[in-house]
Amino acid sequence: MPQASWSGLRLLLLTAPPDPVTEELVSASADAIILDCVGEPVPVAAVAAARPDLPIVVLADVDRARAEQMVTEGAETVLPRSGARIEDVLRAIRSAAPRPAPMAPTGERLARDSESLLARPMTDAPQLEAVGRLAGGVAHDYNNLLQVIGGNAEHLVANLAADSPLRGAADAIATAGRRATQLTQRLLAFGRQQRLVTTTSDLNAVVATAIPRLREQLGRHVRVETELGTGLPPVRVDRDQMVTVLTNLAINAYEAMPEGGTFTLTTDLCAISDDMRAHRPWLATGRFVRLQVADTGSGIEEQALPHLFEPFYTTKRAWRGGGLGLAAVYGVIKQSDGYIWVDSRVGEGTRITILFRPDSSDLAQAPDARVATPVTPPAIRLLVVEDDDGVRELLESMLEHHGFAVATAASAEDALAFEPHRDFDLLLTDVVLPGRSGPELARDLRTRAPDLPILFMSGHTGSVVGAGSDGEAEAFIQKPFTSAMLVARIREMLAGK
């Protein structure tokens, strides 16, 4: 929970159920905990045990006996969830007796802070919280604008002669559009608001995919080495985002090794031991697939470690890649339910450790299935539903250029008005539409054509499309995308129809 400018307090808001006792709770920097209880069980005792140094104000609609029990379990007070005022909450916190702060060795606290900086409430830097909210709030409209800019720039580049006086301008627009897209993605990753397209993946294969890009990024003076474990269980990650994560780490390693050095990627299976938890108590028990990235660079000063994942943070001795790169890395890993931390000493290089839970789903038992069978597009009939006029016109032109037969609609109601008279091979629809949403449209069309492939698109970070009738996640493509990305996705879906 961000710090309110009028409160002067750093408040950590937890919701129960589910159980809110996580590594974020253990490591968060705060003045008090507000436990918002939407039902039973209310884990007051567990929260109090995890953070005995913080007063706990419980918001719950319970009877007097249950409220008194919560107080005996460690709550400072219990206020009615349906009628509590913020003034009552602040009064209870400020009147609470001081509690002893937990002691931890300096090294342990630095390691804890470096891992949990963005997991805790951003009370020490409310402007960072504002950046995250801004990124999510404008993403839909901004990505629609980028879709139009990038799509038309792509069309210009493809159709202008190489010696055209306008070719340079078209290339510059396309390049700027790509850079703006990357910036948006990093902002959303920092705020953990981007949509990850996760698949059951072999982490070694992901690393192998990234190696050519890493060698190009690091140059000939840095040697890239790999030590990849065998027989590792699969993990569930967004492969493209993981390649971006490794690229960002390589950029920072390069800047730490101006005279050259070695960049090493290691994978293995790691069991969390009691000794590891003693130094990093926020780690969950069990087995994890571990990825470690190390360099032989200049290392990082101890006081800089807790700040490495802050956007635009930089020091003379720490990595000089000030920007959103490392903040985006942190966001992707945490959004993938993973852990990340940094170990470094000045003059001894830097090692980044990333842990992922093994994927235990049924899909993890099957090898990746990627259909490469081409589909001949002239006979393919597409229904495109998009409320933004510019994006809709661009998509129609883009898809017709690739030989598809395209019908367009600006709303779900418009699509349903003429759909019975057409036999479409695929529906491409925006998630957020005026009136009925894209998922609602999809459900209606599925009652008439149960086997109709449906591809959702959105520039909105909070879009949720859920699962189809077979329980599988619905197909989705994030705006902005290129025509090649869209056509490849459509062909892949139709080939597997």
Side-chain angles (χ1 to χ4, degrees):
M1 177 178 178
Q3 176 183 335
S5 60
W6 41 263
S7 72
L9 294 171
R10 300 170 298 174
L11 308 179
L12 178 62
L13 175 62
L14 304 177
T15 302
D19 187 358
V21 181
T22 63
E23 77 272 10
E24 286 87 355
L25 170 62
V26 173
S27 59
S29 175
D31 294 311
I33 294 172
I34 299 176
L35 184 56
D36 184 23
C37 304
V38 297
E40 295 282 1
V42 179
V44 175
V47 173
R51 291 306 299 266
D53 57 314
L54 298 181
I56 303 169
V57 174
V58 177
L59 303 180
D61 292 323
V62 295
D63 58 30
R64 181 174 180 178
R66 183 70 178 100
E68 291 176 350
Q69 181 184 1
M70 292 180 185
V71 172
T72 63
E73 291 174 352
E76 188 68 33
T77 188
V78 180
L79 299 174
R81 187 171 186 268
S82 56
R85 300 177 304 168
I86 191 63
E87 291 84 356
D88 300 328
V89 175
L90 295 177
R91 186 179 302 111
I93 293 170
R94 286 172 172 151
S95 62
R99 303 191 179 202
M103 299 300 292
T106 301
E108 175 184 327
R109 184 169 296 280
L110 283 169
R112 178 187 302 172
D113 286 349
S114 69
E115 206 285 334
S116 64
L117 175 67
L118 298 184
R120 72 190 186 209
M122 289 186 250
T123 53
D124 296 327
Q127 69 274 16
L128 301 185
E129 176 72 9
V131 170
R133 289 198 306 270
L134 176 64
V138 305
H140 182 257
D141 291 336
Y142 189 49
N143 282 333
N144 274 341
L145 292 173
L146 285 175
Q147 182 68 63
V148 175
I149 293 170
N152 282 295
E154 179 186 3
H155 180 70
L156 286 173
V157 171
N159 289 279
L160 284 173
D163 58 352
S164 169
L166 298 177
R167 182 61 184 265
D171 285 333
I173 294 171
T175 299
R178 287 192 295 270
R179 292 181 63 185
T181 299
Q182 292 170 356
L183 177 59
T184 304
Q185 291 171 345
R186 288 181 176 183
L187 281 169
L188 297 179
F190 158 61
R192 282 182 263 171
Q193 299 181 49
Q194 66 179 345
R195 180 184 175 89
L196 297 183
V197 183
T198 61
T199 58
T200 298
S201 306
D202 177 353
L203 192 57
N204 287 347
V206 175
V207 171
T209 300
I211 291 298
R213 186 185 298 186
L214 300 183
R215 294 189 193 279
E216 179 182 357
Q217 188 67 55
L218 292 166
R220 60 188 181 89
H221 295 297
V222 176
R223 185 170 63 256
V224 178
E225 296 182 352
T226 59
E227 300 173 10
L228 306 181
T230 59
L232 300 181
V235 296
R236 194 157 188 86
V237 296
D238 184 316
R239 303 182 196 190
D240 292 338
Q241 289 296 330
M242 279 305 301
V243 171
T244 301
V245 162
L246 294 175
T247 302
N248 282 330
L249 295 179
I251 290 172
N252 288 285
Y254 171 79
E255 296 186 352
M257 298 184 289
E259 305 300 324
T262 303
F263 184 74
T264 305
L265 300 103
T266 305
T267 61
D268 62 3
L269 191 61
C270 169
I272 302 301
S273 65
D274 291 340
D275 182 63
M276 293 176 68
R277 282 180 54 83
H279 290 87
R280 295 181 172 90
W282 30 261
L283 285 173
T285 57
R287 297 191 314 158
F288 291 83
V289 180
R290 177 168 57 186
L291 168 64
Q292 291 186 309
V293 179
D295 66 60
T296 58
S298 56
I300 304 169
E301 294 176 343
E302 188 179 50
Q303 62 266 30
L305 287 175
H307 305 286
L308 290 180
F309 298 118
E310 293 180 17
F312 307 108
Y313 177 79
T314 183
T315 70
K316 293 181 179 179
R317 293 298 300 271
W319 288 327
R320 292 184 293 277
L324 285 165
L326 291 177
V329 165
Y330 186 95
V332 170
I333 299 304
K334 296 304 294 182
Q335 199 172 350
S336 303
D337 196 26
Y339 296 98
I340 181 171
W341 67 85
V342 179
D343 295 296
S344 184
R345 290 179 183 238
V346 173
E348 297 182 13
T350 298
R351 182 179 68 245
I352 304 98
T353 300
I354 300 172
L355 301 183
F356 292 113
R357 302 174 190 274
D359 185 6
S360 58
S361 67
D362 293 339
L363 291 174
Q365 308 305 320
D368 293 343
R370 294 198 172 188
V371 179
T373 306
V375 175
T376 304
I380 304 302
R381 298 171 299 277
L382 305 180
L383 173 58
V384 178
V385 186
E386 166 62 60
D387 61 304
D388 186 285
D389 294 341
V391 176
R392 187 175 61 254
E393 293 169 4
L394 171 68
L395 292 175
E396 183 177 16
S397 173
M398 180 187 293
L399 291 169
E400 287 180 344
H401 176 74
H402 284 272
F404 295 96
V406 182
T408 63
S411 68
E413 290 75 14
D414 290 347
L416 291 169
F418 66 78
E419 186 276 334
H421 308 290
R422 301 289 296 271
D423 183 18
F424 294 106
D425 296 293
L426 182 140
L427 168 67
L428 173 64
T429 178
D430 199 6
V431 175
V432 180
L433 294 170
R436 307 178 73 182
S437 69
E440 290 175 320
L441 169 63
R443 283 193 291 271
D444 284 344
L445 292 184
R446 281 259 172 83
T447 63
R448 309 174 188 182
D451 297 326
L452 177 68
I454 297 174
L455 176 58
F456 290 97
M457 58 183 171
S458 183
H460 197 284
T461 60
S463 299
V464 177
V465 295
S469 58
D470 59 358
E472 295 295 327
E474 293 282 16
F476 180 88
I477 186 168
Q478 177 75 53
K479 296 176 183 175
F481 45 77
T482 65
S483 62
M485 293 167 58
L486 177 60
V487 170
R489 192 73 176 93
I490 291 173
R491 290 181 176 177
E492 180 184 20
M493 292 180 65
L494 293 175
K497 183 177 179 182

